[in-house]
Amino acid sequence: MDRRGFIKTCTAVAAASLASPSFFLSSLKAQELELKPYKKAVLLKKDGTPLKPEDIDPAKQYIFFYPYRSTPCVLANLGKEVPPTEVKLSNGTSYTWQGGVGPRKSIVAYCAICPHQLSYPTPEFSFINYYPENIPSKIVKKGGIIQCCAHLSVFDPSQGGRVIDGPAPFPLTAIVLSYEDGKLYAVGTLGKELYEDFFDAFKPDLRERYGSSRKAKQLVDKCEVIEVNEYAKEVIRC
């Protein structure tokens, strides 16, 4: 897609999605991009009530599990409007990422499985984390990034999860969010997925944690959102 076409597409998607939350999904399908719809899942607070955009502190990072009960995602409020952008892959293909959602279009979510060697947050450790502006990375000397301390891959959450630095071969998988009637929903993924690799690599751990592989692969229709430091005993930053 050339620049004129890209800008035209982004403008059309942004304008139309304001009128109809479902437009973005149908538009992406029409473009044959890498959208993968899953169950529509409402994001909830710990007390079971819907998570509202104002509940998401820009100075903190959050975790939820989607589209499967065992696959972690990072949720962040970048504190500013995040416009749609084109995400390019090393094989020359690209797709349009929707940008932020919510009243300020500042809320984003990504799969928290590193595309390099599948590092992911566990109840014991979280090596891959969002660094708010007030907690800058020691490696790249800035905040507003997602970084995996296992092998120092760095991603830009304001640019569809593109790789800024490190060995990761492609961007983080984006979680497609929608904002409807004051509620936030996860509705699918965008970008290259690694779920099958994840299930194969960590089969023993997932069986122990969830009881069986089948249970670990259950799709969800609601997601509890908590702070990462409430989930993992140790948050590893670098």
Side-chain angles (χ1 to χ4, degrees):
M1 182 183 296
D2 61 25
R3 178 176 172 80
R4 177 175 297 179
F6 171 62
I7 293 174
K8 184 177 180 180
T9 298
C10 289
T11 302
V13 168
S17 61
L18 291 175
S20 171
S22 64
F23 174 84
F24 181 72
L25 303 184
S26 60
S27 177
L28 286 178
K29 290 175 181 176
Q31 295 177 64
E32 297 183 346
L33 299 178
E34 298 184 32
L35 171 71
K36 299 176 183 65
Y38 286 94
K39 279 188 174 181
K40 184 177 181 179
V42 62
L43 304 192
L44 302 173
K45 295 190 288 188
K46 288 191 294 184
D47 63 6
T49 60
L51 182 77
K52 298 177 181 178
E54 57 267 31
D55 297 322
I56 307 173
D57 188 337
K60 297 179 180 179
Q61 63 162 338
Y62 300 85
I63 187 171
F64 65 98
F65 290 81
Y66 181 83
Y68 305 96
R69 63 180 303 201
S70 61
T71 49
C73 309
V74 59
L75 178 74
N77 181 350
L78 302 189
K80 60 184 179 183
E81 182 174 340
V82 185
T85 190
E86 183 179 26
V87 181
K88 297 181 179 178
L89 304 181
S90 58
N91 63 5
T93 61
S94 65
Y95 53 88
T96 301
W97 174 66
Q98 72 174 116
V101 301
R104 298 184 61 194
K105 302 187 185 305
S106 61
I107 298 168
V108 301
Y110 293 93
C111 175
I113 300 172
C114 183
H116 178 224
Q117 291 193 356
L118 307 179
S119 176
Y120 72 104
T122 71
E124 289 75 35
F125 301 99
S126 178
F127 280 93
I128 182 167
N129 296 289
Y130 171 63
Y131 291 66
E133 295 291 347
N134 61 313
I135 308 177
S137 158
K138 298 175 184 176
I139 301 298
V140 296
K141 312 295 184 187
K142 68 176 184 179
I145 54 103
I146 294 173
Q147 182 169 283
C148 180
C149 290
H151 301 93
L152 303 183
S153 291
V154 185
F155 307 91
D156 188 344
S158 70
Q159 295 287 315
R162 75 175 180 87
V163 181
I164 299 174
D165 199 2
F170 42 79
L172 292 171
T173 307
I175 304 300
V176 180
L177 301 175
S178 69
Y179 177 60
E180 303 169 38
D181 300 326
K183 301 176 185 177
L184 292 162
Y185 297 86
V187 297
T189 68
L190 187 63
K192 184 173 176 57
E193 289 186 350
L194 292 165
Y195 296 132
E196 290 306 318
D197 299 296
F198 173 76
F199 291 136
D200 288 341
F202 299 105
K203 186 179 296 183
D205 295 338
L206 296 175
R207 281 178 175 171
E208 180 177 355
R209 197 170 299 143
Y210 294 96
S212 69
S213 295
R214 181 183 59 80
K215 291 180 178 177
K217 295 181 180 180
Q218 286 178 345
L219 294 168
V220 301
D221 58 11
K222 55 185 176 182
C223 309
E224 181 182 275
V225 178
I226 61 173
E227 291 184 41
V228 174
N229 59 11
E230 293 181 272
Y231 174 72
K233 293 178 181 176
E234 189 170 358
V235 176
I236 308 297
R237 296 191 181 276
C238 55

